Amino acid sequence: MGKCVFSLLIMMLLCPSLIATMVASSSINEKERQALIHSGWWANYRNISDHCHWNGISCNERGSVTAIDGTVLKIPPSKELRRIQNLNFTAFPSLVKLNLYGMDLTGTIPQQITTLTNLTVLDLSINHLHG
């Protein structure tokens, strides 16, 4: 135990940027997890702390969401749950792939999608979106 504490203290002194990166990454991961829960689409996953293991979610080695595939979800036929605005897109800075094909989503396409600068694949087809 003593060696671990000493090693951690040395690492904190020698690599403050590494510690800052780890803390920032943890904060981003929690923000992503909360955004997924708030959407209501992953409400039954509240007790699973690692969102990288949820259906339709892929993450990079830092635990940040890189892909969301909504086609594997079974969303109840609630009009409130079927709104695309339920997902806070700004919470996913590492998102590369967003597949919401055929989810029967309604509403306007959120302007927030433009903040996803790493996005290379976007599929919103077979929905009831406008704007």
Side-chain angles (χ1 to χ4, degrees):
M1 177 75 169
K3 282 184 177 181
C4 292
V5 172
F6 181 72
S7 297
L8 183 59
L9 288 172
I10 295 297
M11 187 174 76
M12 289 171 62
L13 291 172
L14 297 177
C15 305
S17 62
L18 177 62
I19 299 298
T21 301
M22 290 169 54
V23 169
S25 179
S26 175
S27 176
I28 289 170
N29 295 350
E30 182 57 24
K31 187 176 178 182
E32 291 174 337
R33 183 179 183 279
Q34 290 304 317
L36 293 169
I37 289 173
H38 181 72
S39 74
W41 305 342
W42 287 271
N44 56 339
Y45 287 88
R46 288 180 198 271
N47 294 327
I48 303 172
S49 62
D50 188 355
H51 60 280
C52 295
H53 292 105
W54 298 359
N55 282 343
I57 303 299
S58 298
C59 297
N60 60 22
E61 64 281 350
R62 292 182 316 275
S64 188
V65 175
T66 56
I68 297 175
D69 183 357
T71 63
V72 299
L73 298 175
K74 306 241 184 316
I75 302 174
S78 161
K79 285 188 178 189
E80 273 307 304
L81 287 181
R82 299 263 181 202
R83 297 193 47 78
I84 194 168
Q85 286 79 8
N86 288 3
L87 190 60
N88 176 8
F89 295 101
T90 62
F92 305 99
S94 302
L95 197 64
V96 175
K97 179 181 178 186
L98 178 61
N99 181 8
L100 302 179
Y101 169 89
M103 289 182 60
D104 204 23
L105 297 173
T106 62
T108 59
I109 298 172
Q111 193 71 25
Q112 297 174 341
I113 287 180
T114 63
T115 66
L116 302 174
T117 58
N118 294 314
L119 197 65
T120 58
V121 176
L122 173 64
D123 191 347
L124 300 176
S125 60
I126 315 297
N127 283 294
H128 306 284
L129 303 172
H130 59 279

